[in-house]
């Protein structure tokens, strides 16, 4: 038997599942005699689900907290002989690795030799969780022990995951915002901002995900259990601002306020959206409040905690001095706010491919539809587009095209009708389909 031991950090994914509660092992066995022997050896550890194709197993892995997958050599051979070539094998490997990095794999082959497996299952990442069994090794208690060990460790680590709160949101942010070098630096700044208590200004064009980043800062901070209140700056009055800032409320009184109070972020975070529209009449009271909190913190040798943490966002480019941005710059200096800049999509085209991949996976699971894929030409079209609406526009185009593609590969011709007319940097317009 060729095997690598189960790692101590073996754990399961935390996503909604569709398998029966008793089906802790995902089986994909085409050879009937092997399936019969497997069911007799493993007993209740193997559910009596009908046989699945490798594509069906891949779809289940993408949505299930599955500790263990068992596949036979016949299923792998059938998948390799389809018109799609090695794509089913590659998709299965990606789903296996993407299942929270925990799913173990048993492959049953005639020889029991890992070198006989398809090339898509011979990577170092797969080898760390792979066990290859020959057919004569299925009987006895060995298989029961392997299955029991996988499920026991999965349950233990799943319980640990549920009782511990992650300290960073960077991993989930990469899936929806991108993981280019510029975004990686931004995520590092997000983690640093979560660890401190100073005001933050997030600058980014519309659709870049500024509100998601504000949420991530709050969730990664010591205020995560307190309310996160989002307010549009233009709608604020002085009375509302005073109420939101909990002015003249002592720390002892703040601690007694209910955590589900919807209008008062007591001890939590106040997110001021569209900060460039913040009323001029309220700027001095806001700066005075923040300055007072800082004075108290300095005078208490770090033991004082601000009643409310201020996070703001703006779509204005402060590097382009206008009357509006100059006024905002003065306000930001008055708050002594740290500035975080979210780059637009057109400045990081390398993010488009992984973002599209993640979007299509989520879309296919939510709509229970085949997962579409981009051709090389269609990816180039997406990279050349200027994306004035940034991620919001990108996801709208991907969704509309996925519906039209109906599970087929997405070509450049399919994308063109959904790309809005865009103005290039030299002032000319690229013709796209209009509403008419």
């Amino acid at each position: 038997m060729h095997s690598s031991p189960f790692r101590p950090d073996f754990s399961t994914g935390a996503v909604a599942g569709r398998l029966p509660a008793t089906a802790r092992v995902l089986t994909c066995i085409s050879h009937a005699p092997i399936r019969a022997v497997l069911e007799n050896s493993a007993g209740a550890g193997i559910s009596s689900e009908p046989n699945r194709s490798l594509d069906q197993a891949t779809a289940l892995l993408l949505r299930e907290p599955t500790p263990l997958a068992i596949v036979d050599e016949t299923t792998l051979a059938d998948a390799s002989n389809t018109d799609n070539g090695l794509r089913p094998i590659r998709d299965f490997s990606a789903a296996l690795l993407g299942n929270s990095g925990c799913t173990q794999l048993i492959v049953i082959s005639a020889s029991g030799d890992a070198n006989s497996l398809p090339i898509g299952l011979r990577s170092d990442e797969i080898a760390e969780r792979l066990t290859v069994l020959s057919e004569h090794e299925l009987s006895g208690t060995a298989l029961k022990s392997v299955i029991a060990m996988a499920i026991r460790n999965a349950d233990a680590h799943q319980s640990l995951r549920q009782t511990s709160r992650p300290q960073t949101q960077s991993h989930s942010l990469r899936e929806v915002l991108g993981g280019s070098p510029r975004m990686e630096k931004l995520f590092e700044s997000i983690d640093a901002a979560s660890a401190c208590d100073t005001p933050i200004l997030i600058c980014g064009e519309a659709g870049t995900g500024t509100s998601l980043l504000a949420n991530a800062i709050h969730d990664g901070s010591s205020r995560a259990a307190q309310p996160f209140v989002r307010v549009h700056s233009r709608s604020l009055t002085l009375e509302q601002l005073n109420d939101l800032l909990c002015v003249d409320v002592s720390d002892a009184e703040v601690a007694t306020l209910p955590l589900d109070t919807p209008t008062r972020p007591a001890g939590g975070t106040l997110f001021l959206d569209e900060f460039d529209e913040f009323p001029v009449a309220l700027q001095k009271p806001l700066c005075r409040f923040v300055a007072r909190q800082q004075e108290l913190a300095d005078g208490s040798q770090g033991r004082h905690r601000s009643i409310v943490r201020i996070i703001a966002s703006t779509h204005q480019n402060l590097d382009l001095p206008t009357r509006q941005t100059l006024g905002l710059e003065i306000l930001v200096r008055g708050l002594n706010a740290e500035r975080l800049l979210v780059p637009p999509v057109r400045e990081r085209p390398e993010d488009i491919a992984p973002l599209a991949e993640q979007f299509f996976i989520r879309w296919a699971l939510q709509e229970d539809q085949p997962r579409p894929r981009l051709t090389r030409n269609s990816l180039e079209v997406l990279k050349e587009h200027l994306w004035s609406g940034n991620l919001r526009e990108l996801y709208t185009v991907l969704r509309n095209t996925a519906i039209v593609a109906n599970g087929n590969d997405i070509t450049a011709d399919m994308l063109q009708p959904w790309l809005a007319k865009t103005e290039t940097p030299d002032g000319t317009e690229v013709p796209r389909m209009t509403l008419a």
Side-chain angles (χ1 to χ4, degrees), residues 36-49:
V37 172
L38 192 65
E39 291 176 352
N40 291 334
S41 299
I46 302 295
S47 65
S48 57
E49 290 290 313

Side-chain angles (χ1 to χ4, degrees), residues 13-220:
V15 294
R18 296 186 182 180
L19 284 175
T22 56
R24 306 304 309 282
V25 181
L26 173 62
T27 58
C28 197
I29 308 296
S30 298
H31 197 47
I34 291 181
R35 184 170 184 83
V37 172
L38 192 65
E39 291 176 352
N40 291 334
S41 299
I46 302 295
S47 65
S48 57
E49 290 290 313
N51 184 51
R52 308 175 179 88
S53 68
L54 200 66
D55 284 339
Q56 291 172 324
T58 299
L60 287 171
L61 277 174
L62 289 171
R63 57 166 76 104
E64 302 294 340
T66 309
L68 179 64
I70 304 179
V71 182
D72 68 342
E73 198 172 34
T74 304
T75 299
L76 297 176
D78 291 342
S80 301
N81 292 330
T82 62
D83 294 337
N84 292 323
L86 291 176
R87 177 183 289 178
I89 303 291
R90 291 197 302 266
D91 288 349
F92 177 74
S93 300
L96 191 74
L97 295 172
N99 198 306
S100 298
C102 66
T103 304
Q104 302 290 306
L105 173 65
I106 293 178
V107 176
I108 302 170
S109 72
S111 63
D113 183 10
N115 293 323
S116 66
L117 298 180
I119 191 169
L121 292 178
R122 281 187 267 163
S123 66
D124 293 339
E125 294 85 355
I126 294 294
E128 291 179 357
R129 65 192 69 197
L130 173 66
T131 301
V132 181
L133 300 176
S134 62
E135 296 177 10
H136 70 272
E137 292 175 313
L138 295 181
S139 58
T141 60
L143 184 61
K144 288 184 180 179
S145 300
V146 170
I147 293 175
M149 183 188 304
I151 295 177
R152 183 169 60 251
N153 287 324
D155 288 341
H157 285 272
Q158 176 67 5
S159 176
L160 179 63
R161 285 166 63 93
Q162 291 174 346
T163 56
S164 62
R165 183 177 63 83
Q167 296 302 310
T168 176
Q169 303 294 317
S170 295
H171 178 72
S172 58
L173 287 175
R174 287 186 185 94
E175 295 181 356
V176 294
L177 298 182
S180 60
R182 291 190 63 180
M183 293 303 294
E184 290 291 346
K185 290 182 179 179
L186 178 61
F187 296 148
E188 292 176 3
S189 299
I190 293 297
D191 292 339
S194 300
C196 67
D197 214 27
T198 57
I200 300 290
L201 176 68
I202 305 175
C203 304
E205 295 180 4
T208 52
T210 53
S211 60
L212 289 176
L213 294 175
N215 264 293
I217 294 174
H218 172 78
D219 291 342

Side-chain angles (χ1 to χ4, degrees), residues 302-321:
R303 293 191 298 271
H304 178 83
R305 177 184 176 186
S306 300
I307 297 175
V308 176
R309 203 239 179 112
I310 304 294
I311 299 179
S313 72
T314 178
H315 300 321
Q316 295 291 330
N317 185 353
L318 297 185
D319 294 331
L320 298 177

Side-chain angles (χ1 to χ4, degrees), residues 230-301:
R230 178 178 179 177
V231 178
H232 195 286
S233 299
R234 183 174 53 186
S235 64
L236 276 175
T237 65
L238 181 59
E239 181 180 1
Q240 292 171 336
L241 179 64
N242 286 337
D243 186 56
L244 287 167
L245 296 178
C246 303
V247 174
D248 297 328
V249 177
S250 67
D251 288 343
E253 291 173 316
V254 167
T256 63
L257 291 174
L259 296 183
D260 59 351
T261 303
T263 59
R264 297 165 67 89
T269 302
L270 174 61
F271 176 44
L272 298 173
D273 200 7
E274 304 283 357
F275 195 50
D276 48 281
E277 298 184 10
F278 193 79
V280 175
L282 305 186
Q283 293 183 9
K284 282 188 177 180
L286 178 64
C287 292
R288 192 182 304 120
F289 171 81
V290 173
R292 178 58 178 161
Q293 296 305 303
Q294 186 61 49
E295 290 173 4
L296 292 172
D298 294 341
S300 62
Q301 297 179 344

